[in-house]
Amino acid sequence: MKTVVRFAPSPTGNIHIGNARTALINWIYAQQNDGEFILRLDDTDVARSKQEYADNIAVDIRWLGITPSRTQKQSDRFASYAIATQKLKDAGLLYPCYETSDELDRQRKRLAMRGKPPVYDRSALKYSEEELAKFKEEGRNAHWRFLLPNFKDDPHSPTRTEVKWNDLIRGDQIIDLASMSDPVLIREDGTWLYTLPSVVDDIEMGVTHIIRGDDHVTNSGAQIAIFEALGATAPNFGHHNFLTAASGEAFSKRLGSLSLQSLARAGYEPMAVASVATLIGTSGPVEAMPTMAALIERFDVSSVTKSAAKFDEAEVGNLNAKLVHGMAYAQVKSRLEEAGVGGGEAFWNAVKGNIEKVKDASFWWEKVQSATPIVEDEDKDFIAAAAKLLPQEPWDENTWGQLTKALKNETGRKGKGLFMPLRKAITGEAHGPELAVLLPIIGRDKTLDRLT
Ligand code: GLU
């Protein structure tokens, strides 16, 4: 059977690094198994879902290197959900409830006082005609709950009912359906929560592996029961750990600073972000993978650990620098040209080891164009001597050697005392790319200007 996975964000905000992790783990798993990756937009919450976010999500995952075979929107599929809803109603598995959230709250508190878990008591199954008439009179609308199969004959006497699966990531999992409330599938306003539409989609789209965050583990127990109630067999599941901010706080779509867009705008390479998002929280090292193919080769879904992993943007910076240091000119040529950076391959090779992001090449290109020389008092004579000994053009990568050799003979200086004053005078910086390469790019006129 062909492997089919899906990434199912709600388009209620821009996606962040934690969502990227879910998307990437699914994508890599699909690639490793010659499978298909569907982008599914969970937009049943019509009021909060926005087209703009849906568009951004598509752009963001492509930026990471993910190309979905198709995109599906839940809002296009209400007819399918209505059929499934009717099927559950006909089977007596979906029942109307009229409690307000205050009433449910009070019920939970009463249970807590008696030391009991906050499991819904199914009192809606016992409404009398009078009560139903009263709700109607009060203008209450029903929300609908799915009757979990956790009892023999009497739904008011649930018994331990184990749902088991072998999780791709967490190994053997057991959820006791008697420990859960019947999930609400339809809100009072008639809209579906994500639970049922997701199962219907997974069935109709032939999803074979549901890989998502471990906040869904319990939910999976209920959803497995819904798959079965609809006459289907649940697919495989994998629940991955969560990423948290350095503060330990969970990421949310409100944390705009760590949206994928902001990381892209900050100038990080997609593969630096993808490497960190995928490889942290695994038992293996977090290393910069230069290509998606390398990451696919490297990642093993079973290496994902159970505890949450802290995401640190500095780690993306480190991996980004490693990638940039290893990038060939051909990989960056068009980006450099677009940014107005000249100097060709020689310049790129000279500066790439000194920068963390490709866009930082501009900094050194600006230094080639113009720099404010730094000349300490004690170096004034030395710099004047350098100006006099400056070789005639044409210059090449040997020019620096000729100049420093001549200066060494003339002044007796060597090592740092020889190189540093030249570097500071010529580039206006104490550190930077190799001057042997930069010098011919800067050229004699500008160099002489900076030395005099
Ligand atoms: N929209 C759900 C979420 O973002 C999808 C969960 C799933 O993958 O089934 O949590």
Side-chain angles (χ1 to χ4, degrees):
M1 195 169 35
K2 185 171 186 178
T3 296
V4 179
V5 301
R6 82 298 192 278
F7 170 53
S10 304
T12 54
N14 289 322
I15 54 172
H16 52 69
I17 189 84
N19 306 121
R21 177 174 182 76
T22 310
L24 284 159
I25 293 177
N26 273 287
W27 170 250
I28 294 170
Y29 191 79
Q31 301 314 298
Q32 288 170 337
N33 292 285
D34 225 357
E36 192 186 331
F37 175 104
I38 301 171
L39 171 60
R40 190 186 85 199
L41 297 163
D42 284 1
D43 58 351
T44 56
D45 185 345
V46 187
R48 287 174 57 225
S49 299
K50 294 213 168 86
Q51 186 59 41
E52 176 199 337
Y53 294 131
D55 295 343
N56 290 349
I57 290 168
V59 169
D60 288 350
I61 64 170
R62 279 186 174 77
W63 179 78
L64 280 173
I66 296 173
T67 46
S69 61
R70 60 197 161 112
T71 301
Q72 297 276 349
K73 281 164 83 173
Q74 291 195 324
S75 55
D76 289 340
R77 298 183 30 79
F78 287 171
S80 285
Y81 310 148
I83 293 171
T85 301
Q86 197 53 51
K87 206 166 168 181
L88 295 180
K89 281 185 184 171
D90 291 347
L93 296 176
L94 201 54
Y95 62 99
C97 305
Y98 289 91
E99 293 92 348
T100 62
S101 45
D102 280 352
E103 284 164 354
L104 289 171
D105 247 8
R106 280 201 294 278
Q107 208 179 89
R108 276 192 288 267
K109 279 189 188 127
R110 276 198 303 275
L111 287 168
M113 256 150 44
R114 285 161 44 206
K116 299 229 159 127
V119 177
Y120 176 61
D121 65 2
R122 291 176 166 161
S123 43
L125 290 176
K126 290 200 236 170
Y127 291 143
S128 63
E129 292 298 322
E130 291 77 43
E131 278 175 300
L132 286 170
K134 193 177 132 246
F135 295 144
K136 210 166 186 183
E137 202 176 294
E138 288 173 2
R140 293 198 195 186
N141 285 326
H143 56 273
W144 295 75
R145 289 190 190 255
F146 173 68
L147 187 65
L148 287 169
N150 58 8
F151 57 92
K152 296 215 170 62
D153 305 310
D154 177 8
H156 298 288
S157 305
T159 52
R160 184 168 178 89
T161 309
E162 292 183 348
V163 171
K164 299 182 189 175
W165 73 92
N166 185 259
D167 196 280
L168 279 179
I169 295 168
R170 298 166 64 86
D172 286 335
Q173 300 291 297
I174 301 177
I175 297 288
D176 173 15
L177 293 184
S179 69
M180 302 171 61
S181 299
D182 288 337
V184 175
L185 300 190
I186 302 173
R187 299 183 187 92
E188 268 162 46
D189 64 2
T191 59
W192 285 281
L193 278 98
Y194 124 94
T195 317
L196 176 65
S198 178
V199 171
V200 173
D201 289 348
D202 290 334
I203 295 171
E204 293 183 9
M205 294 170 197
V207 169
T208 58
H209 294 76
I210 295 177
I211 306 176
R212 58 187 176 184
D214 58 17
D215 53 334
H216 284 288
V217 171
T218 313
N219 194 17
S220 293
Q223 284 186 318
I224 288 173
I226 298 174
F227 273 102
E228 288 169 3
L230 291 173
T233 310
N236 300 295
F237 284 90
H239 294 88
H240 66 74
N241 55 2
F242 253 61
L243 301 187
T244 65
S247 62
E249 195 190 347
F251 284 111
S252 76
K253 289 181 179 144
R254 285 178 295 279
L255 277 176
S257 59
L258 280 161
S259 67
L260 277 195
Q261 285 188 354
S262 70
L263 292 168
R265 240 182 278 121
Y268 294 117
E269 299 301 311
M271 280 316 301
V273 175
S275 299
V276 175
T278 309
L279 297 175
I280 53 170
T282 69
S283 53
V286 181
E287 285 169 337
M289 295 290 124
T291 59
M292 185 54 82
L295 184 57
I296 290 166
E297 173 86 31
R298 167 65 193 282
F299 177 72
D300 175 1
V301 76
S302 66
S303 72
V304 173
T305 56
K306 283 193 189 161
S307 48
K310 274 195 179 141
F311 172 80
D312 184 358
E313 193 176 332
E315 194 151 28
V316 181
N318 292 338
L319 263 57
N320 203 79
K322 290 215 178 85
L323 289 178
V324 169
H325 299 170
M327 282 166 107
Y329 179 61
Q331 287 174 272
V332 291
K333 184 170 184 275
S334 59
R335 282 153 76 185
L336 296 177
E337 282 169 3
E338 231 166 81
V341 173
E345 186 164 2
F347 175 75
W348 172 249
N349 287 337
V351 300
K352 69 179 178 185
N354 289 81
I355 55 178
E356 194 180 87
K357 296 172 182 169
V358 171
K359 67 176 186 180
D360 297 341
S362 297
F363 174 87
W364 291 109
W365 185 244
E366 277 159 28
K367 296 286 159 193
V368 165
Q369 307 309 311
S370 85
T372 310
I374 301 172
V375 181
E376 313 293 345
D377 280 349
E378 70 264 27
D379 296 325
K380 280 199 169 130
D381 293 345
F382 172 73
I383 292 299
K388 260 192 233 119
L389 292 170
L390 213 51
Q392 289 305 317
E393 281 181 324
W395 281 8
D396 59 22
E397 292 196 8
N398 299 316
T399 307
W400 172 249
Q402 290 163 21
L403 172 65
T404 50
K405 195 168 168 208
L407 268 166
K408 191 173 169 185
N409 290 339
E410 172 90 8
T411 65
R413 287 200 187 199
K414 54 182 192 277
K416 208 173 164 194
L418 174 69
F419 303 126
M420 188 56 88
L422 285 172
R423 175 177 288 287
K424 284 175 22 187
I426 297 170
T427 67
E429 297 290 327
H431 303 279
E434 251 188 83
L435 278 167
V437 185
L438 280 194
L439 213 54
I441 300 174
I442 295 171
R444 193 175 194 279
D445 288 351
K446 289 199 188 85
T447 304
L448 186 60
D449 210 39
R450 295 173 198 183
L451 294 175
T452 48

